Amino acid sequence: MRTDLCDLLGIDVPIVGFSPSEHVVAAISRAGGLGVLGCVRFNDGDELDRVLTWLDSEVDGRPYGVDVVMPGRVPTEGTPADLGKLIPDGHRDFVERTLLRLGVPPLGVDEPRRAGVLGWLHSVARTHVDVALTHRPRLIANALGPPPPDVIDRAHAHGLAVAALAGRADHARSHLAGGVDIVVAQGYEAGGHTGEIASMVLVPEVVDAVGADVPVLAAGGIGSGRQIAAALALGARGVWMGSVWLGTAEYQTTEALRQALLDARSSDTVRTRIYTGKPARLLRNRWTEAWADESAPSPLPMPLQNLLVSGAHDRLMESGDPTVVPMPVGQIVGRMNEVRPVAAVLADLVTEADETLARLGKMA
């Protein structure tokens, strides 16, 4: 299984794996795919620099990528303290009442507390770009459309390919006009920020919209070799996979979240704005159901919503209760039934894709 995407990115198989975990990213790249590190969690550029330095030394010379979040509509800028003043008291009261009702205890004295994710801010995302360009990534991707023109120009000047996620064909055409090299057609089934069109419909629409010379990666609902083969049949040059790596041994998480992921079915997700302020697919559980109640306030815009719930997320994750953990994940979660090493998962994906393509070839 090889396409021209492999030559463009210097990889063995056309599988791009997104993860917030540098350990997962390194393992994907070492196994022949392209691991892409989600940078949004890094409020501190120095921390990202340390992680990328580690990645440079752990990928055995193989390529990797970085993913930043620069929304087309620039969010309100400010420090956590300044932005916190924009959060209504009613929203804060709802969060506290909900945690109490769900039986979520306060954090212990020694348990870590996060300030909330600021990677959605353009100022912070630009810091991510600045840091990344001092290292050796092969790709820079933007999770919410094309990066600003100057960021694309800088990436190209450093020899990086630029990718952007698209949920509609017109978005893909706009991304191409803006200078991106690769379009990621992400369907409704995907975890995290996602649109309203399913992958089976979206991928060929995007392929047709951008033309034969532009590589398109299929994303959303892909967790098996058969689904990779289907994506290639729809015209994609490769796949962008994220959720499937949450079930790997290299992904370090709490036991409660691990159990929640293993227990979930494909129907156990929901698309909601309660995580970041923009529509994102999460595990469906008692926390998401509380926000769906008619008494709940409307989620705040990005970045205020994540600042509002960041403390709650810490408590929910440390609660030890699989029925409340907050986690973006796609509908493919129903296939994540055991914990396995990244290399084994990727090898099985390739084997099944090759077997499927061979079987289909006999039908011609």
Side-chain angles (χ1 to χ4, degrees):
M1 183 178 64
R2 188 174 180 87
T3 71
D4 54 359
L5 182 79
C6 298
D7 298 325
L8 176 63
L9 299 178
I11 54 181
D12 297 336
V13 292
I15 296 175
V16 178
F18 166 87
S19 177
S21 164
E22 62 270 27
H23 301 281
V24 172
V25 169
I28 293 170
S29 289
R30 287 196 302 266
L34 185 83
V36 176
L37 179 69
C39 296
V40 72
R41 68 181 176 92
F42 296 100
N43 290 349
D44 181 358
D46 290 339
E47 183 185 3
L48 175 60
D49 183 57
R50 289 191 294 272
V51 167
L52 292 182
T53 298
W54 181 89
L55 263 179
D56 288 336
S57 67
E58 291 292 324
V59 294
D60 296 340
R62 305 306 299 265
Y64 67 90
V66 295
D67 178 273
V68 299
V69 179
M70 303 185 81
R73 181 176 298 174
V74 179
T76 302
E77 292 278 346
T79 66
D82 291 337
L83 293 170
K85 297 175 183 177
L86 303 177
I87 297 175
D89 290 339
H91 281 68
R92 295 187 187 277
D93 292 343
F94 171 79
V95 169
E96 289 303 318
R97 291 197 311 270
T98 300
L99 292 172
L100 181 64
R101 181 169 60 80
L102 296 179
V104 178
L107 291 175
V109 175
D110 297 327
E111 290 180 305
R113 290 165 169 80
R114 294 173 293 181
V117 174
L118 297 178
W120 334 102
L121 303 181
H122 272 223
S123 58
V124 177
R126 284 183 176 277
T127 299
H128 296 161
V129 174
D130 293 341
V131 171
L133 293 180
T134 68
H135 291 270
R136 297 188 287 103
R138 183 67 188 85
L139 173 80
I140 184 167
N142 188 26
L144 292 174
D150 66 297
V151 172
I152 294 176
D153 290 342
R154 291 179 62 202
H156 285 161
H158 283 76
L160 276 66
V162 178
L165 276 67
R168 293 191 339 217
D170 58 323
H171 291 168
R173 283 190 289 266
S174 176
H175 298 354
L176 184 60
V180 304
D181 307 295
I182 299 169
V183 175
V184 181
Q186 179 163 283
Y188 174 79
E189 306 94 324
H193 296 122
T194 189
E196 299 178 337
I197 304 174
S199 297
M200 183 66 75
V201 174
L202 178 66
V203 173
E205 284 188 352
V206 170
V207 169
D208 292 344
V210 300
D213 294 333
V214 180
V216 172
L217 302 182
I222 300 173
S224 71
R226 283 172 291 165
Q227 289 160 327
I228 293 174
L232 297 178
L234 293 173
R237 310 285 182 85
V239 294
W240 173 287
M241 303 173 66
S243 297
V244 70
W245 314 112
L246 297 174
T248 60
E250 288 86 349
Y251 185 74
Q252 300 171 2
T253 187
T254 65
E255 191 58 37
L257 176 56
R258 181 80 76 190
Q259 194 60 50
L261 293 170
L262 292 175
D263 290 345
R265 299 163 299 177
S266 57
S267 59
D268 291 332
T269 68
V270 60
R271 185 172 173 267
T272 174
R273 291 174 51 227
I274 69 171
Y275 198 82
T276 70
K278 286 185 177 291
R281 186 172 299 283
L282 314 178
L283 273 178
R284 185 195 305 271
N285 55 29
R286 294 195 296 143
W287 171 249
T288 62
E289 289 172 356
W291 279 91
D293 188 85
E294 62 181 13
S295 65
S298 297
L300 299 170
M302 180 183 283
L304 300 183
Q305 181 66 21
N306 189 262
L307 290 174
L308 167 67
V309 298
S310 62
H313 285 176
D314 290 339
R315 291 171 60 179
L316 292 162
M317 289 295 281
E318 296 298 328
S319 68
D321 183 354
T323 71
V324 298
V325 288
M327 189 64 195
V329 70
Q331 292 178 333
I332 200 64
V333 69
R335 298 186 65 88
M336 295 159 50
N337 301 316
E338 60 177 329
V339 178
R340 304 173 62 215
V342 165
V345 171
L346 196 143
D348 283 354
L349 290 171
V350 173
T351 297
E352 186 179 51
D354 283 340
E355 291 173 349
T356 303
L357 292 170
R359 176 170 54 82
L360 293 176
K362 294 178 181 177
M363 297 181 182

